[in-house]
Every structure is written in C-alpha cells, then in structure tokens.
Amino acid sequence: MKYVHAVYGGFFSFIAFSLIAALAPFAYSSGAFEVILTASTFLFAILAGFYLSRLNSRYDNTREIVAEEDALWLSLYRASIFFGNRFRNTLRELIDKYYIIAYDHDVGNYYKHNAKYHNQIYDELNKTKMPKGGKASLAMPYFLEILSNIETSRNKSSVIAAERLSKGQWASIVLLGSVILFSLFLLRTPDFYSQTATVLLSTTLILVLLILRDLQNYRLGGSALLDESGEEVFEYIGKLKYYNKKWLDEGTVKIQKNVKKYRLGLHKPGEKPNIKIVNND
C-alpha cells in the first residue's frame, strides 16, 4: 500500500472538497457559527503551530544525529585497517548486518534490533591479537572513542524518535479541524469567491494535518529520512545497496537510476532475513 504524503493528500483533498462544495446544499448560517469558526481557528492555529515547531525540531535533530552516525561508521571502518585484514573483514560483515536491520525498521526504532552487532565489535576487538606498539596501539583509543560515539548517537535517535504526539493531542487537533471544516461549509455562499475560499482553506487545513503526520513518521515529502546516506555506507564497505520490499512498495524508499544491482529484502521487519540480488534494468 502506497504511503500518501502531504502533497498527494492535499491534492486529493482539493478534489474532494471541490466536489463537496459543488454538490452539497447550502445551509442556514448564523452569527453563532461565525463565533465557533473564529474560536476553533484560533485554537487550531496555536496547537498546530506548537506541534509543527516541536516535530520539525525533532526531525532536524534526528537527521543530524543519523547523518553523524553514518559518518562515524565510515570512520570506524577506515580505522579498522590498523588491526589487520581478518578484523577488517569481520567488521565489514557486522556493519552490513547492522545496516540491513536498520533499514528494515523506521529511524530510531532499530536500537534494540541491531544492538547485538554493535556489541559484537567489542567482542571481536577483544579476540584480535594486537601487536605491541606501532599503529594499532595508537589507533585503539581513537577506535574505541568512535564506538562510544556511535552508541551515543544510537541512544539519542532512539530517545528522540519516541517523542511523538499522543493520541489525546491528535484527537484535539483533529477535532478542532473537523469543527473548522464543518463551519466553513455551513458559512459558505453560492458566489464563486466563497466557494473557492472554502475549498482552499479546507485543503490547507488537511495539508497541515498531513504535514504533522509526515514529520512524526520521518516521511517529510514522502521519502524516508536520510535513506541515501546509509546506502553510501554499503558502497564504501564493498557491499551492494540494500532495500526492503515493504518500504519500496509504500513508495517511501526509491532506488536511484544509477544503481545497477542491489539487494532486496523480501522479509518483513523483524523476521529472519530473506534477501535476493536484483539487477536494476
């Protein structure tokens, strides 16, 4: 099922409200409805503005943290060259598994699912025999610092992602929006200006609600947050890019035209991985 983001939702709303305005009968309007419209619009503006500011800040913070985590993984892989080819190859596989699970889940929701692969890096590091002195000893503090910073980024994104609008908050703003829509159509008149203004204002109201939903789901513009940033990690470690069929079917993840071959996850998030290689013709 395709994910209907704010732009598409606003377009469909415009068509629906245009039909309603053209076909629905005109109701008797009074000053009471004008008072109700004024009060509900005022309250809606306050709540919507507050929620938009909060969710937009959450979105920007998460984007910065996720981009930083991707950069840290790249730095970690580069630094692994000082610990020998065996450790470097093991780290490559752990990073690959880590990111596959990360891309199976939403941003911030993969913390518990791929934590074991992050922890295994410490285990593998402990197993690796390091030569005394030399570059490996000098690189070890830097390597451990990167691992620690990755865990910090993981924690931050997980905590921030959990900060969502509650059911009560959604109910309040949807209720106010419904009252506004009802009042707008009751107060409209047959003239062209009134009909057009009613349709445009109603569409804008729905658009605001959908933008709130997209921000909360990290789907602003219909695309997953920083999808390509992590895909570059796959390329750098010598792995094919990975996409889960669930997100491709929803349309929140798109395969770029320059990707000739990629890995497709046929499993649902949380299930045992079932991955096949696909040629992108």
Side-chain angles (χ1 to χ4, degrees), residues 93 95-104 117 234 239-245 248 261-269 271-278:
E93 298 303 319
I95 294 176
D96 184 53
K97 293 176 181 178
Y98 177 94
Y99 267 89
I100 286 176
I101 292 181
Y103 274 104
D104 282 346
Y117 298 115
F234 284 123
K239 295 286 186 177
L240 292 175
K241 291 185 176 183
Y242 170 80
Y243 305 91
N244 190 285
K245 188 175 184 297
L248 289 175
K261 184 183 292 187
Y262 62 91
R263 291 176 293 173
L264 178 65
L266 303 176
H267 56 280
K268 295 180 180 179
E271 295 181 346
K272 183 179 179 181
N274 178 19
I275 302 173
K276 72 173 184 178
I277 297 177
V278 178

Side-chain angles (χ1 to χ4, degrees), residues 242-258:
Y242 170 80
Y243 305 91
N244 190 285
K245 188 175 184 297
K246 170 182 170 62
W247 308 121
L248 289 175
D249 291 341
E250 284 191 3
T252 56
V253 172
K254 295 179 178 60
I255 302 173
Q256 294 186 346
K257 294 181 179 180
N258 62 339

Side-chain angles (χ1 to χ4, degrees), residues 77-120:
Y77 184 70
R78 291 191 188 103
S80 67
I81 193 173
F82 298 111
F83 306 128
N85 289 330
R86 189 200 69 81
F87 178 78
R88 187 176 177 83
N89 292 333
T90 301
L91 180 62
R92 178 189 292 115
E93 298 303 319
L94 290 175
I95 294 176
D96 184 53
K97 293 176 181 178
Y98 177 94
Y99 267 89
I100 286 176
I101 292 181
Y103 274 104
D104 282 346
H105 296 82
D106 282 324
V107 172
N109 294 330
Y110 55 76
Y111 181 82
K112 294 181 180 180
H113 300 280
N114 59 8
K116 61 180 181 181
Y117 298 115
H118 179 268
N119 294 333
Q120 282 183 27

